[in-house]
Amino acid sequence: MVDKRKPSKVPSSRLSRLASFGGLAGSIAGSVIKGTTTQILSGKSPSLTQSLLTQDNALSITNKLAKMRGAAMKIGQLLSMDAGDVLPEAWEPILSRLRQSADPMPKSQLLATLNKAWGDDWYAKFRYFSFEPIAAASIGQVHKATLLDGSELAVKVQYPGVKQSIDSDIDNVISLVKLSGALPKHMNIGPLLEKAKAQLHEEADYRQEAEYIKLYSSLVEDKAQFNIPKVYDELSNEQVLSMSFLSGDPIEAKCPQGDIDWILEQLFQLSLDELFVYRTMQSDPNFANFLFDQSSKRIALLDFGATRQIPKDVSRLYLMLAKAIQSQQTDLIESYLNQLGLIDDNMSSATLDVVIQACLLASECLQTKHYNFKQSQLIKRIQNITQPLIENKDATATPAFDVALINRKITGIVLLANRLGASVDLKSMLEKY
C-alpha cells in the first residue's frame, strides 16, 4: 500500500523535467556546501565524499526523483538496489522509498488519462474505482477497482508525458554523470544507452507488457507456487493496463524465517529457469514486484514491462560461467567473462585479478547447501575485495544490454536474500542444468 504521500503533478514537458534536474543539482550542491562548512567549523578537513553522502542529499535525491517519476526515477531505483552496504546507514530508509513508491499524480491528471483511454462514461463499467492508488512506481500508478460482475482489478495507469521524456531523462542523467568524471574515457556507453532507451520505451507500452504477462503465464502454468495476473484486454491499451487483483504482502514484510527461506528458494529457482530453460526473464528485480500470500502460500509476480528474451548463446555462456565459478577454474572463468563482455582488454592484469578473486569468493554460495548470504557476509566480503576497483576507471567494461539486465536480475535476488537473511541451496539447484 502507498503511504499517505501528497499528490504532485507529473512534469510532462521536456522543459519542466529539465527544470527538475536543475533543481536536483542545486539542492545537492547546497547540501554539499552545508556539509563541508560543518566539517570546517568542527575543525575537520573538508571531505567532498562525506559531504555528498549526507542524509540531506539522500532526502534531496529521493524527493526529486519521486516527483519526477519516469526514467529518472527508474535509474534511481536501480542505484538504490545496488547501494548494498556501501552507502551510509542513514540513506537506507530514505532510498528504500525509491524501491517502493513515487508520489501519486493528482486526480485531475488521472481522470484525464482514464477519459482519454476509456471515454468519458468509463465509470459505468465499474461498481467501484478507488482514486487513491495502492501503488505508485516509476512509470505508472496502480488503482484497485471492481467490475459490475464483482471481479477485482488492479488498473495500472501511466503517468502523462513519461514515455515522451525517456530519451531526454536518460540523456540528462548521463550528462550529470559525465560532468562528475565518473566514467572511464575508454568506455563507449552509446550503444548501451540506446538499448536502455529502447527497453524503457517498451516498458512504457502496456500493450507489450500485456503480451509478456500472457507469455509468462504459459511458461509457469505448471508451477502452482506462482500467481500471475490475468489481463483484461478490453480495458487495456498503451497507457492503461487492467489485470486481475492479486493479494499478498511485500516480500520485505516480516514473516517466519521458514517462509522467507522457501520464498527465496522459489525465486532463485525461477531465475535459473528463466535463464537456462525459458530464456525469458522478467529483468526488473525491484523488491516491490513480489508479493507473498500467507494463506495460500503463493508468490505473486508483478510488473512484466522489463521482460526480455535471452539469446541462446548468452544462456549457454552463463551456464558455463556458473559451472566454472563453482569448480573454481580460473582460466575458464576469465574466458567466459570475456565472451560475455564483463571484462575486456582495457583492464589491467591487477584489475582482472581482483575480478577473478571476487568470482572465486562468490563460488562458496554454489558449493554449500543451505547457504545464508547474510550470515556469511558474502556481499561485504566481495565489496572489500573489489573496493580498489571503484576509483580505478580501467575496471569498467561495457557488456551487451541483455547481459547487463541478466546481471541486474541475479544481483537483485541475491541482495533480497541477503537483506532477509534467507538460506538457499543453490548447489542443488544448479545441478539440474
Side-chain angles (χ1 to χ4, degrees), residues 116-132:
K116 181 179 178 181
W118 293 340
D120 293 343
D121 61 344
W122 61 266
Y123 52 84
K125 301 175 183 177
F126 294 87
R127 179 186 301 176
Y128 167 81
F129 190 99
S130 174
F131 289 106
E132 184 172 326

Side-chain angles (χ1 to χ4, degrees), residues 225-418:
Q225 66 269 41
F226 296 115
N227 198 5
I228 313 294
K230 170 192 171 185
V231 175
Y232 285 74
D233 288 313
E234 66 277 13
L235 291 172
S236 301
N237 62 20
E238 187 174 346
Q239 290 186 300
V240 177
L241 177 57
S242 298
M243 304 160 285
S244 55
F245 178 82
L246 304 184
S247 59
D249 296 314
I251 295 295
E252 290 184 275
K254 290 185 178 180
C255 61
Q257 189 62 45
D259 283 341
I260 289 175
D261 292 344
W262 180 82
I263 291 168
L264 266 298
E265 286 267 0
Q266 302 308 311
L267 293 179
F268 270 112
Q269 185 68 72
L270 178 63
S271 297
L272 293 177
D273 281 341
E274 287 179 321
L275 182 54
F276 301 133
V277 181
Y278 309 144
R279 296 206 303 274
T280 300
M281 178 172 279
Q282 197 292 79
S283 64
D284 184 352
N286 191 333
F287 304 158
N289 289 341
F290 311 110
L291 298 177
F292 179 58
D293 188 340
Q294 184 80 32
S295 60
S296 66
K297 298 295 182 182
R298 300 185 76 190
I299 303 168
L301 304 179
L302 310 176
D303 197 345
F304 291 83
T307 303
R308 298 287 294 183
Q309 305 291 127
I310 299 172
K312 188 174 183 178
D313 61 327
V314 173
S315 173
R316 182 186 62 81
L317 282 171
Y318 264 101
L319 182 57
M320 296 299 100
L321 176 62
K323 290 180 177 180
I325 290 175
Q326 186 179 44
S327 57
Q328 297 191 326
Q329 296 176 279
T330 56
D331 55 336
L332 291 179
I333 292 173
E334 182 173 345
S335 174
Y336 296 135
L337 287 174
N338 194 288
Q339 291 180 64
L340 285 167
L342 295 170
I343 59 175
D344 61 31
D345 295 338
N346 290 297
M347 293 181 174
S348 65
S349 58
T351 294
L352 288 175
D353 184 62
V354 170
V355 174
I356 297 298
Q357 291 304 311
C359 289
L360 294 177
L361 178 55
S363 71
E364 69 180 44
C365 73
L366 300 176
Q367 297 171 332
T368 307
K369 292 188 175 183
H370 310 297
Y371 188 84
N372 190 296
F373 288 92
K374 190 171 186 177
Q375 291 176 2
S376 67
Q377 295 191 315
L378 180 63
I379 306 298
K380 284 187 177 181
R381 287 187 287 143
I382 290 177
Q383 286 174 346
N384 289 337
I385 287 179
T386 58
Q387 189 66 30
L389 302 184
I390 294 177
E391 296 181 1
N392 182 0
K393 293 186 180 180
D394 86 336
T396 306
T398 312
F401 191 64
D402 290 321
V403 171
L405 290 182
I406 292 169
N407 281 0
R408 178 72 57 189
K409 176 63 176 284
I410 295 172
T411 301
I413 301 300
V414 168
L415 290 175
L416 182 58
N418 181 70

Side-chain angles (χ1 to χ4, degrees), residues 146-161:
T146 306
L147 292 175
L148 296 178
D149 65 2
S151 301
E152 289 191 323
L153 303 188
V155 180
K156 184 155 68 169
V157 184
Q158 190 172 126
Y159 301 125

